[in-house]
């Protein structure tokens, strides 16, 4: 009856009778306890029909069929999955019933709710422990692996891994995998083998899983390397992988699980015994022509990239094996091939081949990652060997070639390659002057090339930010401390480029750039370059640094008034975080909050740079800058006072009583710090008052200038009005004329010398009130009508040119009569 759909009279019956229905469905699981094979099989068939229900053949009047998913939902609510898992204990030696129960659990595990119930019933460990039970049909292994997969996907992955991380389960998985690996030849067997390996890989992520104890790790390493390194182990004798898709996936899964296993340090000895490094290095070489390989070209390329990626994780743990295999020489030779023009048509289909289609960029990227991993071990043997093989020059050459080869499609991978090259160079050159000299001017040139990139690109998200970080790191490690390189960097305006990037005000770069600036300022030539720099609107480097100080203090919540003046003279540098944190006694080797503040923000670096530039001679500062500069100048004094104050407070908290002389000294130090604060605040107040007076004077000058302008405008208007009055009213004109003549007469010298010839300066009869001479220029007649100063004065013999312009001399045009007269008869 349970196999048929439930019927209902009302729509609400599904909700009304939900509890009763769920309990009745749950009883099916309880009935599994009855020791009847036929009953158990029938119950399993009934539950499976929940998922394959068919409509009733006869329709009963007054009833309608419940929804198709109603039974499944009631099974979830009733906890049927849990009771079915528990029933497996009763079926230890009953294969048929066990297979039916597994089939039921396979259907139930498609639901997240059922998976959660199954996990609580320890389904994963119970199923896994019986993977090797005898089953001629092969259904047990297939259905068990399917259930484990569903549990991993639809329930707590961590809980499943914990259940499977025991010796019993891992031994079962090991036995199943070995049997399938050695004796599985069908397509189905290979797929199932790979599924078991993936489940094992997930379990191996748990450091507590006894992978080594059960011997599974040793077998997996053997299976991963037997193709490359010949082994006499009977497990792999005569065994060979095909180029089928399943075997190809198996090879990649084995490489992947090696990466996971090597995170457990006890595995290292097994990796050495299995010659894993040597096996992986068989892929790190240029393709050999006419050599028959078991993989296709695309498969071999993907395995090659996967092997190099695996080496990046394994080789740093096996330095001796890496060096014995001539690892550096192999990688550098492979890089040389990557850079060469040899024809190579990569497919770039895999995850590791991203961005490398039709080129060797993917191979170069993973080779550089391997080198970077080895260099950053700081093992002197490895790094010295690299430098002796000319790695620095080779990497600089690769970087230059990448600049010319890069295009928009491969921009991301090119940027990553360039970043890795700079990081490797930084690791090699740090603390070694000779290597910095090898880096030389060619290395400085590639750094300058990156720094000259468009600032907008640093926010594009394509890897430019990482490249810039690598570049700044290489300046620190490859240039600083080597005076010829420093001087060349300065000559090529490197400091200007650093300040340009600093002016972008991107906080992620500021700390590193300021640290470089502090070190560079030890070079006596640097100060002139820094002072010569100009940013937008003529901003100087000193002004930029002071602006960064103000921005930093604003973000830190330091108390300042609207003019930037100190508010609390006792704690002039205190941040909001320091205010919130209470002072507590700390061990002598543990830095206090005041000390940590020096490293956690950029104020100390700004103080150091400005101090090396000389506080007294900083160009291009405003009044606001000078007010802030007063605080920066006293930063070290304030910080020392802050630390002594912390010491004093810690002594009080620990209820210690210093001797009178020590107490007096402590009090004098704290008083002196506060006195300096008051002195700086007083100086700032004087500056603010002086600036206020200066602003008022400047304002008064502007007002005076505006007033003079208005007065001139009024005089001009009045003059124009007088002019209009003279031209429109004859009486006013005559009056003005009389006043003019009177003024002229009064200005003359009254006593005339004897025998002097007197010349009149005024022309009689003129009706004008402007000074007039004997030559009058009439401006009202356009020049083009009279001609220029070189035009002919004989107007009667001229005619206007067609093209316009000033009158010009033209040849006389003969008339018809004159032409006739000139012809002889």
């Amino acid at each position: 009856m349970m196999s048929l759909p439930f019927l209902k009279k009302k729509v609400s019956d599904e909700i009304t009778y939900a509890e009763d229905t769920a309990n009745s469905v749950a009883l099916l699981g309880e009935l599994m306890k009855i020791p009847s094979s036929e009953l158990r099989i029938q119950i399993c068939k009934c539950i499976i029909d929940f998922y394959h229900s068919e409509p009733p053949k006869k329709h009963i009047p007054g009833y309608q069929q419940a929804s198709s998913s109603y039974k499944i939902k009631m099974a979830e609510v009733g906890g049927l999955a849990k009771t079915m898992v528990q029933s497996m204990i009763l079926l230890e030696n009953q294969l048929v019933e066990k297979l039916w129960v597994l089939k039921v659990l396979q259907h139930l595990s498609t639901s997240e709710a059922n998976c959660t119930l199954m996990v609580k019933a320890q389904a994963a460990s119970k199923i896994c422990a019986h993977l090797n039970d005898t089953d001629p049909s092969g259904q047990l292994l297939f259905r068990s692996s399917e259930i484990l997969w569903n549990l991993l996907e639809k329930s707590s992955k961590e809980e499943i891994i914990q259940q499977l991380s025991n010796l019993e389960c891992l031994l079962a998985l090991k036995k199943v995998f070995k049997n399938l690996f050695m004796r599985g030849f069908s397509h189905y067997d290979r797929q199932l083998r790979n599924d078991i390996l993936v489940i094992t890989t997930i379990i191996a992520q748990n450091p507590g899983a006894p992978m080594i104890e059960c011997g599974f790790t040793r077998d997996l390493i053997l299976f991963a390397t037997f193709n490359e390194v010949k082994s006499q182990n009977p497990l792999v004798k005569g065994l060979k992988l095909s180029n089928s898709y399943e075997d190809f996936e198996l090879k990649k899964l084995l490489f992947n699980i090696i990466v996971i296993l090597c995170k457990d340090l006890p595995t290292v000895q097994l990796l050495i015994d299995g010659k894993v490094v040597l096996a992986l290095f068989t892929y790190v070489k240029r393709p050999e022509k006419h050599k028959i390989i078991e993989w296709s070209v695309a498969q071999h390329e993907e395995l090659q990239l996967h092997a190099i990626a695996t080496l990046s994780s394994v080789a740093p743990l096996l330095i001796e094996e890496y060096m014995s295999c001539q690892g550096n020489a192999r990688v550098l030779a492979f890089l040389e091939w990557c850079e060469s023009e040899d024809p190579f048509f990569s497919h770039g289909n895999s995850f590791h081949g991203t961005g490398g289609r039709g080129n060797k960029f993917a191979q170069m990227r993973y080779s550089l990652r391997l080198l970077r991993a080895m260099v950053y071990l700081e093992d002197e043997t490895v790094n010295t060997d690299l430098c002796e093989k000319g790695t620095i020059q080779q990497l600089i050459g690769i970087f230059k070639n990448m600049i010319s080869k890069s295009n928009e499609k491969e921009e991301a991978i090119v940027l990553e390659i360039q970043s890795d090259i700079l990081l490797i160079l930084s690791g090699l050159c740090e603390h070694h002057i000779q290597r910095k000299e090898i880096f030389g001017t060619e290395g400085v040139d590639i750094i300058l090339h990156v720094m000259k990139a468009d600032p907008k690109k640093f926010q594009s998200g394509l890897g430019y930010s990482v490249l810039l970080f690598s570049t700044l790191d290489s300046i620190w490690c490859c240039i600083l401390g080597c005076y010829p390189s420093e001087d060349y960097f300065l000559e090529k305006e490197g400091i200007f480029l650093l300040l340009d990037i600093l002016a972008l005000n991107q906080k992620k770069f500021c700390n590193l750039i300021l640290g470089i600036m502090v070190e560079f300022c030890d070079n006596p030539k640097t100060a002139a370059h820094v002072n010569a720099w100009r940013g937008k609107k003529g901003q100087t480097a000193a002004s930029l640094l002071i602006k960064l100080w103000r921005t930093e203090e604003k973000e830190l919540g330091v108390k300042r008034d609207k003019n930037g003046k100190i508010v609390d003279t006792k704690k002039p540098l205190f941040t909001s975080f320091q205010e919130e944190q209470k002072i507590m006694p700390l061990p002598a080797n543990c830095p206090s909050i005041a000390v940590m503040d020096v490293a956690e923000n950029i104020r100390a670096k700004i103080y150091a740079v400005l101090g090396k530039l000389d506080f007294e001679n900083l160009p291009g500062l405003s009044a606001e800058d000078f007010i802030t500069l007063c605080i920066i100048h006293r930063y070290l004094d304030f910080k020392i006072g802050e630390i002594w104050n912390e010491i004093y407070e810690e002594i009080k908290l620990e209820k210690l009583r210093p001797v009178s002389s020590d107490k007096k000294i402590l009090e004098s130090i704290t008083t002196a710090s506060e006195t300096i604060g008051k002195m700086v605040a007083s100086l700032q107040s004087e500056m603010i008052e002086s600036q206020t007076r200066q602003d008022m004077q400047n304002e008064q000058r502007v007002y005076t200038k505006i007033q003079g302008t208005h007065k001139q405008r009024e005089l001009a208007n009045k003059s124009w009005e007088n002019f209009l009055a003279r031209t429109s009213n004859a009486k006013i004109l005559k009056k003005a004329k009389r006043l003019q003549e009177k003024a002229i007469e009064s200005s003359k010298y009254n006593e005339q010398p004897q025998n002097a010839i007197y010349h009149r300066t005024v022309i009689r009869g003129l009706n004008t009130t402007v000074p007039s001479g004997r030559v009058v220029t009439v401006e009202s007649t356009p020049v083009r009508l009279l001609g220029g100063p070189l035009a002919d004065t004989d107007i009667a013999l001229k005619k206007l040119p067609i093209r316009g312009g000033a009158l010009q001399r033209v040849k006389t045009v003969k008339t018809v009569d004159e032409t006739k007269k000139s012809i002889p008869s």
Side-chain angles (χ1 to χ4, degrees):
M1 294 296 291
M2 293 290 285
S3 61
L4 297 174
F6 290 159
L7 301 177
K8 59 184 179 182
K9 284 186 177 181
K10 302 176 183 177
V11 176
S12 60
D13 284 351
E14 289 187 6
I15 300 172
T16 304
Y17 300 104
E19 185 177 354
D20 296 334
T21 307
N23 291 333
S24 63
V25 172
L27 286 173
L28 290 174
E30 298 296 331
L31 291 173
M32 291 294 292
K33 296 177 182 178
I34 299 174
S36 170
S37 176
E38 187 178 351
L39 176 62
R40 289 169 176 169
I41 293 172
Q42 193 59 43
I43 290 171
C44 292
K45 288 180 178 179
C46 179
I47 297 171
I48 292 169
D49 286 339
F50 289 2
Y51 295 85
H52 308 285
S53 60
E54 297 180 1
K57 297 178 180 179
K58 294 182 180 180
H59 178 69
I60 302 175
Y63 292 90
Q64 55 183 331
Q65 183 179 340
S67 60
S68 57
S69 61
Y70 185 65
K71 282 186 183 180
I72 298 173
K73 187 176 180 182
M74 291 300 102
E76 294 175 0
V77 174
L80 179 61
K82 186 176 181 180
T83 55
M84 292 303 292
V85 171
Q86 292 169 347
S87 70
M88 289 185 67
I89 303 173
L90 307 172
L91 310 173
E92 290 289 337
N93 300 314
Q94 301 175 40
L95 179 61
V96 178
E97 289 93 323
K98 188 185 293 184
L99 291 176
W100 276 105
V101 171
L102 287 173
K103 190 173 182 180
V104 169
L105 291 175
Q106 188 179 355
H107 282 81
L108 292 172
S109 63
T110 56
S111 159
E112 290 186 9
N114 285 334
C115 284
T116 304
L117 293 170
M118 291 169 68
V119 170
K120 290 179 180 178
Q122 301 291 312
S125 58
K126 289 177 181 178
I127 292 171
C128 187
H130 293 86
L131 285 176
N132 289 294
D133 288 0
T134 306
D135 174 28
S137 67
Q139 290 187 48
L140 186 144
L141 185 56
F142 166 71
R143 297 194 188 282
S144 297
S145 63
E146 183 72 20
I147 294 167
L148 290 175
W149 264 113
N150 290 339
L151 289 173
L152 285 167
E153 289 179 353
K154 300 182 184 297
S155 63
S156 171
K157 189 175 179 180
E158 291 74 18
E159 181 64 28
I160 299 297
I161 292 173
Q162 200 62 40
Q163 287 186 24
L164 296 176
S165 297
N166 57 70
L167 200 59
E168 185 181 11
C169 290
L170 286 172
L171 284 170
L173 286 168
K174 172 190 170 184
K175 187 175 181 181
V176 169
F177 180 75
K178 285 172 65 175
N179 287 334
L180 290 171
F181 191 91
M182 299 167 63
R183 301 179 182 87
F185 299 103
S186 67
H187 176 75
Y188 164 77
D189 287 341
R190 289 171 176 171
Q191 281 188 330
L192 192 56
R193 172 198 65 191
N194 291 355
D195 289 345
I196 296 297
L197 183 54
V198 173
I199 293 171
T200 305
T201 303
I202 294 171
I203 298 170
Q205 294 175 4
N206 179 17
M211 293 288 294
I212 297 175
E213 291 82 348
C214 70
F216 207 173
T217 298
R218 185 181 293 276
D219 289 345
L220 288 170
I221 291 172
L222 174 66
F223 293 144
T225 59
F226 80 95
N227 256 21
E228 295 77 23
V229 179
K230 300 303 178 184
S231 173
Q232 300 301 320
N233 194 305
L235 287 176
V236 293
K237 192 172 183 180
L239 198 62
K240 190 175 182 181
L241 296 178
S242 67
N243 63 354
S244 66
Y245 176 76
E246 289 76 21
D247 283 355
F248 174 61
E249 287 296 313
L250 171 70
K251 193 69 178 177
K252 292 194 295 181
L253 288 170
L254 287 169
F255 282 168
N256 185 56
I257 200 168
I258 285 175
V259 174
I260 294 169
L261 291 172
C262 74
K263 294 176 182 177
D264 188 13
L265 290 180
T267 310
V268 170
Q269 187 58 46
L270 297 178
L271 295 172
I272 295 171
D273 297 340
K275 299 180 180 179
V276 173
V277 173
L278 180 60
L280 293 172
F281 263 123
T282 58
Y283 291 92
V284 187
K285 59 184 178 181
R286 66 177 67 202
E288 299 177 14
K289 296 180 180 179
H290 311 300
K291 183 179 179 181
I292 300 172
I293 56 175
E294 59 270 24
W295 309 106
S296 68
V297 176
Q299 287 175 335
H300 185 268
E301 179 197 347
E302 190 169 345
L303 288 176
Q304 182 184 62
L305 294 172
H306 210 139
I308 301 171
T310 305
L311 270 171
S312 299
S313 299
V314 174
L317 301 172
L318 309 172
I319 297 175
E320 291 184 8
E321 283 64 34
Y322 175 84
M323 295 302 294
S324 65
C325 292
Q326 294 293 316
N328 287 336
R330 289 180 187 237
V331 176
L332 292 175
F334 190 67
L335 274 175
E336 187 178 349
W337 170 77
C338 293
E339 191 187 5
S340 68
E341 299 296 331
D342 290 354
F344 178 74
F345 302 99
S346 64
H347 294 73
N349 296 322
S350 65
F351 166 78
H352 295 93
T354 304
R357 191 171 184 82
N359 54 52
K360 307 169 192 171
F361 285 166
Q363 285 81 358
M364 185 179 289
R365 171 169 59 176
Y366 281 96
S367 300
L368 288 169
R369 282 188 186 179
L370 173 56
L371 275 184
R372 187 186 69 189
M374 298 308 298
V375 167
Y376 271 73
L377 292 173
E378 297 184 359
D379 185 277
E380 197 54 36
T381 306
V382 176
N383 290 356
T384 302
D385 184 58
L386 280 170
C387 292
E388 289 174 353
K389 288 180 168 56
T391 305
I392 294 174
Q393 299 93 321
Q394 184 176 348
L395 292 178
I396 291 172
I398 292 173
F399 194 102
K400 288 182 177 179
N401 288 337
M402 295 302 293
I403 293 171
S404 59
K405 290 181 181 178
S406 62
N407 56 58
E408 291 184 3
K409 290 183 180 179
E410 293 131 4
E411 189 173 17
I413 189 171
V414 168
L415 291 173
E416 184 182 340
I417 288 171
Q418 291 175 336
S419 299
D420 283 341
I421 288 173
L422 292 174
L423 288 172
I424 293 167
L425 291 170
S426 298
L428 291 174
C429 295
E430 191 174 14
H431 310 309
H432 293 83
I433 298 297
Q434 291 181 345
R435 296 176 190 175
K436 290 181 181 182
E437 289 173 353
I438 295 172
F439 184 80
T441 58
E442 289 188 1
V444 175
D445 286 335
I446 64 174
I447 288 174
L448 293 171
H449 172 80
V450 176
M451 294 175 68
K452 289 176 182 177
D454 185 355
K456 293 179 181 178
K457 290 183 177 180
F458 297 137
Q459 301 174 346
S460 64
L462 289 173
Y464 276 98
S465 293
V466 177
L467 178 59
L468 183 57
F469 272 120
S470 304
T471 304
L472 296 173
D473 186 55
S474 61
I475 293 173
W476 194 292
C477 299
C478 303
I479 297 177
L480 288 171
C482 180
Y483 296 120
S485 296
E486 285 186 11
D487 291 345
Y488 184 76
F489 184 82
L490 292 171
E491 287 173 13
K492 293 295 182 178
E493 300 181 349
I495 288 293
F496 288 1
L497 296 173
L498 273 177
L499 289 168
D500 288 339
I501 298 170
L502 188 63
L504 297 176
N505 199 18
Q506 293 194 26
K507 193 170 180 62
K508 54 189 176 183
F509 300 130
C510 287
N511 207 348
L512 190 52
I513 292 173
L514 287 169
I516 293 169
M517 294 284 294
V518 171
E519 297 297 326
F520 247 113
C521 284
D522 288 336
N523 189 319
K525 299 177 183 178
T526 303
H529 287 262
V530 175
N531 289 328
W533 177 83
R534 292 295 180 271
K536 291 182 179 179
K537 299 180 180 178
Q539 185 183 35
T540 62
S543 178
L544 171 63
L545 292 171
I546 293 170
K547 183 181 177 182
L548 288 173
W549 176 286
R550 283 197 294 268
T551 304
E552 184 75 2
E553 287 201 329
K554 188 175 181 182
E555 291 177 0
L556 294 172
V558 180
K559 292 180 180 178
R560 300 280 184 261
D561 68 3
K562 62 179 182 179
N563 296 313
K565 183 183 166 185
I566 292 174
V567 173
D568 187 352
T569 55
K570 291 183 179 180
K571 302 172 182 177
L573 298 177
F574 252 48
T575 64
S576 58
F577 176 76
Q578 287 176 282
E579 292 282 359
E580 293 169 3
Q581 297 294 319
K582 293 181 180 179
I583 296 174
M584 58 179 66
L586 295 170
N589 61 348
C590 185
S592 66
I593 297 173
V595 176
M596 290 297 295
D597 175 72
V598 176
E600 289 177 351
N601 58 69
I602 62 175
R603 291 189 294 179
K605 292 183 175 68
I606 292 174
Y607 165 77
V609 174
L610 291 175
K612 291 183 177 182
L613 293 176
D614 187 3
F615 284 108
E616 304 298 329
N617 298 304
L618 298 175
L621 301 185
S622 63
E624 186 182 13
D625 292 337
F626 278 113
I627 292 168
T628 308
L629 188 63
C630 292
I631 302 171
I632 301 174
H633 195 187
R634 289 290 187 174
Y635 172 78
L636 187 59
D637 296 328
F638 290 147
K639 183 56 67 176
I640 291 171
E642 191 178 304
I643 292 169
W644 276 109
N645 185 60
E646 273 189 343
I647 294 170
Y648 196 18
E649 292 297 325
E650 286 185 25
I651 290 172
K652 289 180 180 178
L653 289 172
E654 292 177 350
K655 297 180 180 179
L656 299 174
R657 294 179 61 188
V659 295
S660 56
S661 58
D662 288 346
K663 185 176 180 182
K664 187 176 180 181
I665 291 170
L666 281 171
E667 289 175 350
S668 63
I669 289 171
T670 52
T671 304
S673 178
E674 186 178 354
T675 303
I676 292 172
K678 291 178 179 178
M679 182 181 69
V680 172
S682 175
L683 180 59
Q684 287 178 316
S685 298
E686 290 178 10
M687 287 183 174
I688 292 168
E689 291 174 5
S690 175
Q691 183 60 32
T692 303
R693 288 194 298 271
Q694 184 65 36
D695 290 342
M696 290 180 65
Q697 291 175 3
N698 292 339
E699 187 178 352
Q700 189 61 43
R701 289 194 195 97
V702 173
Y703 284 147
T704 303
K705 188 175 180 180
I706 293 171
Q707 189 177 7
T709 303
H710 280 285
K711 190 172 183 179
Q712 290 294 330
R713 195 174 295 165
E714 289 175 3
L715 290 173
N717 290 338
K718 190 174 180 181
S719 176
W720 177 249
E721 290 172 0
N722 291 336
F723 176 74
L724 290 179
R726 293 198 305 272
T727 55
S728 59
N729 193 322
K731 292 181 179 180
I732 295 174
L733 178 62
K734 290 177 181 179
K735 184 179 178 180
K737 181 65 175 177
R738 286 195 298 271
L739 291 173
Q740 184 187 37
E741 291 175 349
K742 186 177 179 180
I744 291 170
E745 290 297 328
S746 62
S747 65
K748 291 179 180 178
Y749 187 66
N750 294 327
E751 296 181 2
Q752 297 182 4
Q754 293 181 357
N755 301 323
I757 301 172
Y758 176 73
H759 298 279
R760 296 184 60 82
T761 57
V762 179
I763 303 171
R764 294 180 178 275
L766 287 178
N767 294 321
T768 62
T769 56
V770 294
S772 303
R774 295 187 181 278
V775 180
V776 178
T777 302
V778 182
E779 294 182 354
S780 60
T781 306
V783 177
R784 67 176 180 274
L785 297 179
L786 299 177
L790 301 178
D792 197 318
T793 56
D794 189 5
I795 297 176
L797 299 176
K798 296 170 65 176
K799 73 175 185 178
L800 294 172
I802 294 173
R803 64 178 180 272
L807 293 175
Q808 300 177 4
R809 182 182 295 276
V810 296
K811 294 181 180 179
T812 306
V813 180
K814 294 183 179 181
T815 60
V816 178
D817 294 338
E818 290 175 343
T819 306
K820 289 180 179 180
K821 288 178 182 178
S822 62
I823 299 173
S825 54

